[in-house]
mmCIF file of all heavy atoms in Angstrom:
data_model
loop_
_atom_site.group_PDB
_atom_site.id
_atom_site.type_symbol
_atom_site.label_atom_id
_atom_site.label_comp_id
_atom_site.label_asym_id
_atom_site.label_seq_id
_atom_site.Cartn_x
_atom_site.Cartn_y
_atom_site.Cartn_z
ATOM 1 N N GLN A 60 6.512 18.391 -10.116
ATOM 2 C CA GLN A 60 5.150 18.057 -10.592
ATOM 3 C C GLN A 60 4.963 16.621 -11.105
ATOM 4 O O GLN A 60 5.955 16.117 -11.622
ATOM 5 C CB GLN A 60 4.745 19.052 -11.705
ATOM 6 C CG GLN A 60 5.472 18.924 -13.067
ATOM 7 C CD GLN A 60 5.035 17.837 -13.928
ATOM 8 O OE1 GLN A 60 3.932 17.440 -13.919
ATOM 9 N NE2 GLN A 60 5.899 17.432 -14.864
ATOM 10 N N ARG A 61 3.813 16.002 -10.878
ATOM 11 C CA ARG A 61 3.605 14.624 -11.316
ATOM 12 C C ARG A 61 2.202 14.645 -11.840
ATOM 13 O O ARG A 61 1.282 13.869 -11.187
ATOM 14 C CB ARG A 61 3.788 13.697 -10.147
ATOM 15 C CG ARG A 61 5.298 13.477 -9.965
ATOM 16 C CD ARG A 61 5.785 12.580 -8.863
ATOM 17 N NE ARG A 61 4.964 11.361 -8.581
ATOM 18 C CZ ARG A 61 5.080 10.589 -7.547
ATOM 19 N NH1 ARG A 61 6.030 10.903 -6.621
ATOM 20 N NH2 ARG A 61 4.329 9.479 -7.449
ATOM 21 N N ALA A 62 1.858 15.438 -12.854
ATOM 22 C CA ALA A 62 0.578 15.403 -13.436
ATOM 23 C C ALA A 62 0.186 14.040 -13.991
ATOM 24 O O ALA A 62 -0.987 13.674 -14.018
ATOM 25 C CB ALA A 62 0.443 16.484 -14.412
ATOM 26 N N ASP A 63 1.099 13.372 -14.567
ATOM 27 C CA ASP A 63 0.901 11.981 -15.121
ATOM 28 C C ASP A 63 -0.209 11.955 -16.038
ATOM 29 O O ASP A 63 -0.304 12.733 -16.996
ATOM 30 C CB ASP A 63 0.729 10.957 -14.003
ATOM 31 C CG ASP A 63 1.982 10.895 -13.093
ATOM 32 O OD1 ASP A 63 3.120 11.228 -13.591
ATOM 33 O OD2 ASP A 63 1.821 10.509 -11.872
ATOM 34 N N ASP A 64 -1.272 11.084 -15.790
ATOM 35 C CA ASP A 64 -2.332 10.881 -16.836
ATOM 36 C C ASP A 64 -3.540 11.827 -16.533
ATOM 37 O O ASP A 64 -4.438 11.790 -17.255
ATOM 38 C CB ASP A 64 -2.832 9.404 -16.747
ATOM 39 C CG ASP A 64 -1.749 8.422 -17.252
ATOM 40 O OD1 ASP A 64 -0.885 8.829 -17.944
ATOM 41 O OD2 ASP A 64 -1.947 7.191 -16.963
ATOM 42 N N ALA A 65 -3.460 12.557 -15.482
ATOM 43 C CA ALA A 65 -4.716 13.454 -15.142
ATOM 44 C C ALA A 65 -4.961 14.454 -16.276
ATOM 45 O O ALA A 65 -6.143 14.668 -16.634
ATOM 46 C CB ALA A 65 -4.448 14.169 -13.774
ATOM 47 N N PRO A 66 -3.955 15.225 -16.785
ATOM 48 C CA PRO A 66 -4.400 16.202 -17.868
ATOM 49 C C PRO A 66 -5.097 15.630 -19.048
ATOM 50 O O PRO A 66 -6.188 16.172 -19.420
ATOM 51 C CB PRO A 66 -3.050 16.891 -18.241
ATOM 52 C CG PRO A 66 -2.162 16.707 -17.000
ATOM 53 C CD PRO A 66 -2.545 15.302 -16.514
ATOM 54 N N PRO A 67 -4.619 14.464 -19.656
ATOM 55 C CA PRO A 67 -5.388 13.964 -20.711
ATOM 56 C C PRO A 67 -6.747 13.450 -20.339
ATOM 57 O O PRO A 67 -7.803 13.618 -21.060
ATOM 58 C CB PRO A 67 -4.597 12.798 -21.261
ATOM 59 C CG PRO A 67 -3.303 12.892 -20.654
ATOM 60 C CD PRO A 67 -3.293 13.885 -19.531
ATOM 61 N N TYR A 68 -6.857 12.922 -19.153
ATOM 62 C CA TYR A 68 -8.210 12.431 -18.663
ATOM 63 C C TYR A 68 -9.172 13.638 -18.622
ATOM 64 O O TYR A 68 -10.300 13.606 -19.095
ATOM 65 C CB TYR A 68 -8.123 11.829 -17.300
ATOM 66 C CG TYR A 68 -9.330 11.452 -16.607
ATOM 67 C CD1 TYR A 68 -10.177 10.382 -17.090
ATOM 68 C CD2 TYR A 68 -9.903 12.364 -15.649
ATOM 69 C CE1 TYR A 68 -11.366 10.177 -16.448
ATOM 70 C CE2 TYR A 68 -11.130 12.097 -15.099
ATOM 71 C CZ TYR A 68 -11.852 10.998 -15.528
ATOM 72 O OH TYR A 68 -13.068 10.733 -14.954
ATOM 73 N N PHE A 69 -8.854 14.657 -17.872
ATOM 74 C CA PHE A 69 -9.642 15.903 -17.712
ATOM 75 C C PHE A 69 -9.952 16.470 -19.139
ATOM 76 O O PHE A 69 -11.071 17.028 -19.359
ATOM 77 C CB PHE A 69 -9.155 16.930 -16.711
ATOM 78 C CG PHE A 69 -9.196 16.426 -15.259
ATOM 79 C CD1 PHE A 69 -8.128 16.126 -14.593
ATOM 80 C CD2 PHE A 69 -10.464 16.240 -14.693
ATOM 81 C CE1 PHE A 69 -8.211 15.726 -13.263
ATOM 82 C CE2 PHE A 69 -10.605 15.774 -13.411
ATOM 83 C CZ PHE A 69 -9.435 15.489 -12.665
ATOM 84 N N THR A 70 -8.982 16.640 -19.912
ATOM 85 C CA THR A 70 -9.169 17.185 -21.333
ATOM 86 C C THR A 70 -10.197 16.374 -22.090
ATOM 87 O O THR A 70 -11.085 16.906 -22.645
ATOM 88 C CB THR A 70 -7.847 17.174 -22.078
ATOM 89 O OG1 THR A 70 -6.882 18.001 -21.231
ATOM 90 C CG2 THR A 70 -8.025 17.758 -23.429
ATOM 91 N N MET A 71 -10.101 15.035 -22.004
ATOM 92 C CA MET A 71 -11.069 14.161 -22.662
ATOM 93 C C MET A 71 -12.503 14.419 -22.163
ATOM 94 O O MET A 71 -13.496 14.390 -23.017
ATOM 95 C CB MET A 71 -10.746 12.746 -22.592
ATOM 96 C CG MET A 71 -9.501 12.349 -23.549
ATOM 97 S SD MET A 71 -9.320 10.524 -23.690
ATOM 98 C CE MET A 71 -8.880 10.121 -21.990
ATOM 99 N N VAL A 72 -12.574 14.524 -20.873
ATOM 100 C CA VAL A 72 -13.925 14.765 -20.264
ATOM 101 C C VAL A 72 -14.483 16.115 -20.815
ATOM 102 O O VAL A 72 -15.614 16.120 -21.155
ATOM 103 C CB VAL A 72 -13.908 14.659 -18.727
ATOM 104 C CG1 VAL A 72 -15.064 15.255 -18.110
ATOM 105 C CG2 VAL A 72 -13.557 13.336 -18.156
ATOM 106 N N ILE A 73 -13.727 17.092 -20.699
ATOM 107 C CA ILE A 73 -14.209 18.445 -21.257
ATOM 108 C C ILE A 73 -14.572 18.437 -22.707
ATOM 109 O O ILE A 73 -15.783 18.798 -23.088
ATOM 110 C CB ILE A 73 -13.163 19.560 -20.908
ATOM 111 C CG1 ILE A 73 -12.927 19.678 -19.449
ATOM 112 C CG2 ILE A 73 -13.586 20.960 -21.553
ATOM 113 C CD1 ILE A 73 -11.669 20.480 -19.026
ATOM 114 N N VAL A 74 -13.605 17.915 -23.506
ATOM 115 C CA VAL A 74 -13.829 18.011 -25.030
ATOM 116 C C VAL A 74 -15.016 17.081 -25.364
ATOM 117 O O VAL A 74 -15.902 17.386 -26.121
ATOM 118 C CB VAL A 74 -12.568 17.551 -25.672
ATOM 119 C CG1 VAL A 74 -12.832 17.251 -27.148
ATOM 120 C CG2 VAL A 74 -11.511 18.527 -25.421
#
Side-chain angles (χ1 to χ4, degrees):
Q60 66 84 22
R61 281 174 44 187
D63 300 337
D64 293 342
Y68 171 78
F69 286 113
T70 300
M71 284 190 298
V72 168
I73 295 166
V74 172

